[in-house]
Amino acid sequence: MWPGTDLTELLGIEHPILQAPMAGATTPALAAAVSNAGGLGSLGCAMLAPDGFREQVRQTRALTNRPVHVNFFCHEPPRRDAARAALARELVKPFYDELGLGEVPEVTASNHPFDESMLEAVIETRPQVVSFHFGLPADPAVRRLKDAGLLVMSSATTVAEARHLAARGVDAVIAQGWEAGGHRGTFLGGPESGSVGTATLVPHVADAVDVPVIAAGGIADGRGIAAAFALGASGVSIGTAFLTCPESAIPEVHKQALLQARDEDTRLTRAFSGRHARGLNNRYIEAMAGHEADLPDFPLMNTLTGPLRKAGGAAGSPDFVALWSGQAAPLNRALPAGELLEALVEDARARI
């Protein structure tokens, strides 16, 4: 009964609903539950080494035999800037002292762009779908993935990015609207170029490319799913709504913050990773607000904020946790992932 079946047929799924691949939040249990309920479960693998990636895929396949989607970052290698690194270490030192974390570590890369070793791991494990954030890997890598029979997707925050991705052979484009939580996927132009809302971006992208378009950003219930189809999408990617599922790996303080969130509570910040991302405002973001332009590049800042996030989550304090969230967080429910997927399908079908 879905208005279009091009995406479900392409991906081999029953419902055109993707659980967004949120690095650090997804688990094999979450991905498998969504896939078993007929959607496309996802693993956010950007912070994994190849062996860790293989293990995540192995665990997920032990829980489901349905299609699953894995995601990686394709960011440019960061610039090394000693002055920026020194400033960032100075800025976070009072928080380290407050939490008893000892010396502030040196600034180093916490995760790396998709490389040859990860490419080999992906081809070896052969997940059905591979997606990327911040563009695509080099053409030879894309060709090898497609030659291995894998479907390739990537996110676009502008029409220009969508056209670029389609020209390079993606099987579907994820149109990430301004409302989306987590890291902005913008890769052509500055951060301000990717500030188009979902309701405007999706129809423009649908008109610009000949592959299925997946709407992402601010979608958390049947109304949003039905609206996405009306705008020309072939399916939706939903992230924040799945963060409050018991299968999600985020700390409990993050889940509670999402369940209590208001529509005006999110903001964009570079303070956690060095790249613009949307999350719920907190003490750390407020304290760093005047310094964001001078912080080290993504993902270097993760070296400094990782210990703060971990300590804050363990202490049950939201002050130093990266509370990633889209603008639709007030619609969140604390349901198991499979039940949430079923509720979304029922609501969307009634509205469509």
Side-chain angles (χ1 to χ4, degrees):
M1 57 69 56
W2 297 107
T5 60
D6 54 343
L7 185 67
T8 53
E9 291 173 358
L10 174 70
L11 301 178
I13 57 179
E14 183 180 356
H15 307 302
I17 301 174
L18 285 63
Q19 164 249 313
M22 301 163 286
T26 59
T27 63
L30 177 62
V34 173
S35 291
N36 285 334
L40 184 68
S42 305
L43 296 172
C45 304
M47 296 188 292
L48 299 177
D51 285 345
F53 163 74
R54 291 184 180 95
E55 178 60 18
Q56 287 268 296
V57 173
R58 186 197 67 77
Q59 291 181 25
T60 305
R61 284 187 169 149
L63 299 172
T64 184
N65 60 2
R66 296 191 178 188
V68 171
H69 160 210
V70 298
N71 175 267
F72 302 94
F73 290 169
C74 287
H75 56 282
E76 294 293 327
R79 297 169 298 168
R80 301 288 179 170
D81 187 315
R84 285 174 177 253
L87 172 63
R89 295 183 73 224
E90 180 182 343
L91 289 170
V92 301
K93 186 179 187 306
F95 305 133
Y96 272 69
D97 293 342
E98 178 181 337
L99 295 170
L101 296 178
E103 289 298 313
V104 180
E106 295 295 329
V107 175
T108 58
S110 57
N111 58 289
H112 304 280
F114 188 79
D115 60 12
E116 186 68 23
S117 62
M118 190 62 83
L119 173 64
E120 295 297 336
V122 172
I123 292 175
E124 173 192 324
T125 55
R126 292 182 182 271
Q128 293 88 339
V129 186
V130 184
S131 76
F132 297 95
H133 213 44
F134 318 135
L136 284 169
D139 286 340
V142 175
R143 283 196 297 271
R144 287 193 62 192
L145 291 170
K146 293 177 72 69
D147 288 346
L150 309 183
L151 297 171
V152 176
M153 308 187 300
S154 188
S155 52
T157 61
T158 65
V159 170
E161 290 178 347
R163 286 182 172 139
H164 173 90
L165 296 174
R168 294 192 58 199
V170 297
D171 296 287
V173 170
I174 302 165
Q176 186 195 36
W178 185 242
E179 302 91 331
H183 285 96
R184 305 295 305 146
T186 303
F187 63 93
L188 296 179
E192 68 285 348
S193 65
S195 58
V196 184
T198 304
T200 299
L201 181 65
V202 170
H204 290 171
V205 171
D207 287 346
V209 300
D210 293 325
V211 297
V213 174
I214 300 164
I219 301 170
D221 63 8
R223 291 171 293 185
I225 297 169
F229 277 104
L231 294 168
S234 297
V236 300
S237 178
I238 297 177
T240 303
F242 284 102
L243 288 178
T244 45
C245 296
E247 299 92 339
S248 161
I250 65 172
E252 185 62 26
V253 67
H254 189 173
K255 293 181 180 180
Q256 291 304 313
L258 290 169
L259 292 171
Q260 298 166 21
R262 301 167 300 175
D263 59 347
E264 71 269 26
D265 285 348
T266 70
R267 63 174 294 175
L268 291 179
T269 180
R270 289 186 69 245
F272 279 107
S273 72
R275 192 176 184 113
H276 285 95
R278 184 178 298 282
L280 299 175
N281 200 20
N282 64 6
R283 178 181 159 203
Y284 173 77
I285 292 176
E286 290 284 354
M288 300 291 282
H291 306 284
E292 290 190 21
D294 300 317
L295 297 177
D297 287 349
F298 174 89
L300 298 176
M301 270 301 292
N302 283 326
T303 306
L304 304 184
T305 61
L308 294 176
R309 301 184 207 192
K310 184 176 180 180
S317 168
D319 288 349
F320 305 105
V321 177
L323 305 171
W324 299 141
S325 171
Q327 290 182 335
L331 299 174
N332 268 46
R333 294 169 280 181
L335 291 175
E339 290 183 26
L340 176 58
L341 194 285
E342 292 170 357
L344 291 169
V345 169
E346 181 180 358
D347 187 11
R349 281 179 165 171
R351 295 178 185 280
I352 290 171

